[in-house]
């Protein structure tokens, strides 16, 4: 893969941002957008998270797009092409021209009523997954008169994919309450996140929304956490965590 010194510097900055801590999934996706446009010499950037409960993309961010672009997509246009969703919602890096021929794309409603008016012509997508769940994406486009993305640019975005995926996972887990080390050691990171939110009184659907997973995934992680912690329900889970908090607080006061 050929990469210029300038692009090496941009790639290094992207990797650094993906390694840093961010307050939210949305902040992370917003902050890397301008750099990804520089890295791929592209014109437009948009990024969303997939809400599996609602079966919809949301929390959109964009660079170099009209302010109406993201709301229009979330409110209307994404729902107009749900029949072909499986074509787009594919893990990894895929040029749009590999998913649908440009001739066929230009015949679609989403292109003629949404993409073309905003100047989109050639695109490339990165969809990050946690298991079978999509947790965030990158959509980058060039305007008409510019070439499609080549093999080098596809490989550059593929270099980003592992770090992008891990960064999204970290931001999801950081939104959940932290369990005490002794309890957290018994659970996987996802089980700990689900258990912490459940102990705070959040319903399964709300936990699914916050962690961008399905309702069934929440139930599976919660059942596993119950078994590992030796509790049978949310009430016992909350009591266990409350008792641990009290113990830790007493130990802290004793030391002082």
């Amino acid at each position: 893969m050929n990469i210029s010194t300038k692009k090496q510097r941009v790639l290094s900055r992207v990797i650094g941002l993906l390694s840093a801590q961010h307050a939210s999934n949305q902040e992370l996706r917003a902050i890397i957008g301008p750099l990804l446009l520089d890295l791929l010499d592209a014109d437009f950037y948009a990024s969303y998270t997939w809400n599996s409960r609602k079966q919809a993309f949301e929390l959109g961010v964009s660079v170099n797009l009209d302010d109406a672009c993201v709301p229009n997509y979330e409110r209307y246009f994404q729902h107009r092409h749900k029949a072909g969703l499986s074509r787009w919602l594919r893990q990894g890096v895929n040029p749009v021209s590999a998913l649908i021929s440009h001739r066929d794309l230009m015949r679609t409603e989403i292109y003629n009523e949404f993409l073309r008016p905003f100047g989109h012509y050639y695109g490339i997508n990165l969809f990050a997954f946690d298991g079978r769940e999509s947790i965030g994406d990158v959509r980058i486009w060039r305007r008409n008169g510019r070439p499609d993305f080549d093999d080098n640019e596809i490989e550059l975005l593929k270099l980003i994919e592992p770090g992008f995926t891990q960064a999204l996972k970290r931001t999801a887990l950081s939104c959940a309450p932290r369990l005490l080390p002794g309890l957290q050691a018994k659970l996987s990171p996802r089980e700990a996140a689900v258990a912490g939110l459940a102990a705070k009184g959040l319903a399964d659907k709300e936990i699914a929304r916050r962690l961008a997973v399905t309702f069934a995934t929440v139930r599976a992680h919660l059942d596993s956490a119950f078994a590992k912690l030796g509790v049978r329900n949310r009430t016992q889970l909350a009591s266990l965590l409350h008792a641990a908090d009290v113990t830790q607080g007493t130990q802290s006061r004793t030391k002082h």
Side-chain angles (χ1 to χ4, degrees), residues 1-4 6-7 10-11 14 32-45 93-95 122-126 138-142 146-160:
M1 179 176 60
N2 298 318
I3 178 171
S4 68
K6 178 184 176 181
K7 288 195 174 186
V10 175
L11 179 61
V14 172
I32 66 171
L35 289 174
L36 292 182
L37 290 184
D38 286 345
L39 184 67
L40 298 185
D41 190 23
D43 300 302
F44 309 110
Y45 169 90
V93 175
N94 293 284
Y122 286 119
I124 188 169
N125 298 331
L126 189 173
V138 163
R139 309 174 190 198
I140 297 173
W141 289 80
R142 286 177 175 157
R146 306 200 59 212
D148 199 354
F149 295 92
D150 63 25
D151 290 342
N152 275 347
E153 290 155 344
I154 294 169
E155 290 304 313
L156 272 176
L157 199 53
K158 285 183 178 180
L159 288 177
I160 301 297

Side-chain angles (χ1 to χ4, degrees), residues 151-189:
D151 290 342
N152 275 347
E153 290 155 344
I154 294 169
E155 290 304 313
L156 272 176
L157 199 53
K158 285 183 178 180
L159 288 177
I160 301 297
E161 181 187 0
F164 180 60
T165 302
Q166 291 305 313
L168 291 175
K169 289 180 182 179
R170 287 198 307 273
T171 58
L173 295 178
S174 68
C175 294
R178 297 289 184 182
L179 301 184
L180 292 177
L183 298 178
Q184 188 152 345
K186 298 180 180 181
L187 307 177
S188 72

Side-chain angles (χ1 to χ4, degrees), residues 1-26:
M1 179 176 60
N2 298 318
I3 178 171
S4 68
T5 301
K6 178 184 176 181
K7 288 195 174 186
Q8 286 177 9
R9 288 196 294 266
V10 175
L11 179 61
S12 178
R13 289 180 63 193
V14 172
I15 292 172
L17 285 173
L18 294 177
S19 301
Q21 294 296 321
H22 299 278
S24 68
N25 173 308
Q26 198 167 14

Side-chain angles (χ1 to χ4, degrees), residues 66-134:
D66 187 283
D67 289 343
C69 184
V70 166
N72 285 348
Y73 177 78
E74 292 184 354
R75 182 177 59 251
Y76 177 76
F77 284 103
Q78 68 165 315
H79 304 293
R80 296 293 298 167
H81 69 118
K82 275 194 170 181
L85 182 62
S86 59
R87 168 184 285 166
W88 305 100
L89 196 58
R90 291 189 184 182
Q91 183 172 358
V93 175
N94 293 284
V96 171
S97 56
L99 303 174
I100 182 173
S101 71
H102 199 70
R103 176 179 295 180
D104 288 342
L105 176 66
M106 292 174 68
R107 295 171 179 164
T108 63
E109 178 189 12
I110 188 104
Y111 181 79
N112 286 292
E113 296 192 18
F114 178 70
L115 295 172
R116 185 173 61 82
F118 284 111
H120 297 58
Y121 199 76
Y122 286 119
I124 188 169
N125 298 331
L126 189 173
F127 280 85
F129 275 63
D130 184 1
R132 296 183 177 181
E133 302 289 339
S134 174

